[in-house]
Amino acid sequence: MLRAFASAACTLTLGASVGGCTGAALSSGAATFDAAELSTNPTLLVATTRKPVKDARAKPWYGSERAAKLNIARAKLTPPGDGRFSLSAVGLGDWRLDAIEPASQIGDLYAEPGGTRDVLIYVHGFNQTFESAALDAAKISDGIRFRGETMVFSWPSKASLLDYGYDRESAMWSRDALDQVLTGLMASPITGRIHIVAHSIGTMLTMEALRQIYARQPAAGDRIGAVVFASPDIDLDGFTSSVARIGPLARRITVVTATNDRALAVSGLLAGGITRVGAAEKTELARLGLRVIDASAEGWGIINHDLFLSNAKVRRVIRRAIDGRPIEGA
């Protein structure tokens, strides 16, 4: 409900366009982009370390248990209606997941061979079902009007507020699988640039996978485009160490923080009082050579942990990062 109301507020006050950023932090801007490719071809690429439920033929598709191997599939979606009087016109429409089509390997995911295709990978955070993660991937791709393939990388989450420990361990356990996905995409001649948007705990396994790839093959990092860490739930000291280990890849990282992120405040308490990156002061992260956007002033809700989904200005930041354009205030 919080996401729905936040989305409605952004639609009513800021519109659905995605544009430039000006000013000291985040601003509206008037530029618009073509419709997202996912809205015209609603097929989401899937890579998951979750165990399939009933061969992924019906809901919940993939559960919270850990799979013996990485599962690759295509998800068939239905986008929200775009009529003038539809629910989506006031920000209350939603995507729907209709079917899963398993694939044998990463190269089989591309529907149309030939040419090169940029890929946007969404790595979800704590307390998510497979379906909610897939739909969030669709929302962010649609929200930034991404032109290319969109993939969700979904790791085994219990989707419960009381299972933070299980989620955290499952995320770390999945880092080799994300490494496998990124390596497989890089090996395909069809793949152009690979962009990553990771949220919350998902930033931790994403950083680990990038660190492994860079240590093994530094040149492979040239295929990575923008890396956006939204509300990163990762230890600040560990993150600082990892940034030093990934070389030039660090220059492609944009961090979206919010010092009033209540979820990260709780996470910090559970971690023994260690500051989480997503709740750190901007100056601390800027010293690492990263682009940092403080979205504290953008959140009007109770939690402020998923502004990349609910706030149009934050989505503009993501779009500019993917386009390789300067981000004012970063």
Side-chain angles (χ1 to χ4, degrees), residues 96-212:
R96 187 176 75 238
L97 176 55
D98 296 325
I100 295 292
E101 298 177 351
S104 59
Q105 56 187 358
I106 295 173
D108 295 335
L109 290 176
Y110 293 110
E112 299 179 4
T116 58
R117 311 280 294 152
D118 281 5
V119 180
L120 173 65
I121 303 177
Y122 172 62
V123 185
H124 66 83
F126 165 62
N127 189 22
Q128 294 279 288
T129 65
F130 168 76
E131 185 170 8
S132 67
L135 297 181
D136 281 353
K139 291 172 190 173
I140 190 64
S141 180
D142 187 33
I144 66 172
R145 308 295 190 261
F146 183 70
R147 302 295 296 174
E149 301 285 354
T150 302
M151 170 183 280
V152 60
F153 180 88
S154 184
W155 47 271
S157 166
K158 287 283 190 182
S160 169
L161 290 173
L162 301 179
D163 286 301
Y164 180 83
Y166 177 86
D167 278 20
R168 185 177 175 82
E169 295 301 321
S170 290
M172 284 297 287
W173 171 78
S174 300
R175 65 187 183 275
D176 289 344
L178 181 56
D179 181 340
Q180 180 184 342
V181 170
L182 293 171
T183 301
L185 289 172
M186 291 177 189
S188 171
I190 301 176
T191 305
R193 293 188 304 161
I194 302 169
H195 308 286
I196 305 171
V197 175
H199 180 228
S200 188
I201 291 178
T203 60
M204 180 176 59
L205 79 100
T206 300
M207 178 60 92
E208 287 294 313
L210 291 175
R211 183 171 173 165
Q212 291 177 183

Side-chain angles (χ1 to χ4, degrees), residues 55-57 62 71-74 100-105 109:
D55 297 323
R57 292 178 180 173
Y62 297 96
N71 289 286
I72 304 297
R74 282 184 294 269
I100 295 292
E101 298 177 351
S104 59
Q105 56 187 358
L109 290 176

Side-chain angles (χ1 to χ4, degrees), residues 10-20 27-34 142-145 311-317 319:
C10 290
T11 301
L12 292 172
T13 60
L14 297 172
S17 64
V18 184
S27 65
S28 53
T32 58
F33 296 86
D34 294 334
D142 187 33
I144 66 172
R145 308 295 190 261
N311 190 278
K313 295 179 183 179
V314 176
R315 292 198 300 267
R316 276 190 286 273
V317 168
R319 176 63 193 238

